[in-house]
Amino acid sequence: QVQLVESGGGLVQPGGSLRLSCAASGSIVRINAMGWYRQAPGKERELVARITSGGSTNYADSVKGRFTISSDNAKKTIYLQMNTLKPEDTAVYYCNADIKTSPFQQWGMDYWGRGTLITVSS
């Protein structure tokens, strides 16, 4: 029905930059919001950044000033520009979307990507 495909994960040195992409496809009537979550080893999944269809954004305190989320509504794609990366940013990053797949739905439902691993190490 709906698929979220992440790309851009990999190994980067501390202080470096990386950009993640997440493209949504399938039976989509409306994307209410999309965002990025991450889960580090031994920790719970946490919100990294989120953007609504209207362009409103929200960031975790730990990434404010370093990460920027953006969207291309025509491409149904979001991006996460990650700068000044730190070892503590190491985690599996998951794309999330709140999507309506039918005009008859009262509201959207949550969808998740498979995740992409970001490793920040020298």
Side-chain angles (χ1 to χ4, degrees), residues 53-114:
S53 60
S56 178
T57 59
N58 185 37
Y59 296 91
D61 288 340
S62 60
V63 307
K64 287 181 179 177
R66 299 189 298 120
F67 291 10
T68 302
I69 189 170
S70 61
S71 64
D72 185 331
N73 292 334
K75 295 182 178 179
K76 299 182 178 65
T77 300
I78 60 166
Y79 308 91
L80 184 66
Q81 180 64 46
M82 302 183 290
N83 298 325
T84 320
L85 283 161
K86 304 175 181 180
E88 47 264 47
D89 294 318
T90 296
V92 176
Y93 285 68
Y94 297 91
C95 181
N96 169 263
D98 178 8
I99 296 175
K100 289 182 64 176
T101 57
S102 169
F104 304 108
Q105 290 179 329
Q106 188 71 28
W107 49 72
M109 296 187 294
D110 259 7
Y111 295 88
W112 293 90
R114 291 183 178 272

Side-chain angles (χ1 to χ4, degrees), residues 25-52:
S25 62
S27 181
I28 299 172
V29 173
R30 175 180 173 83
I31 299 177
N32 296 316
M34 294 183 71
W36 294 94
Y37 289 72
R38 69 185 181 188
Q39 188 165 21
K43 294 188 176 182
E44 295 184 352
R45 188 173 300 186
E46 65 173 349
L47 173 69
V48 177
R50 185 173 181 268
I51 185 167
T52 69

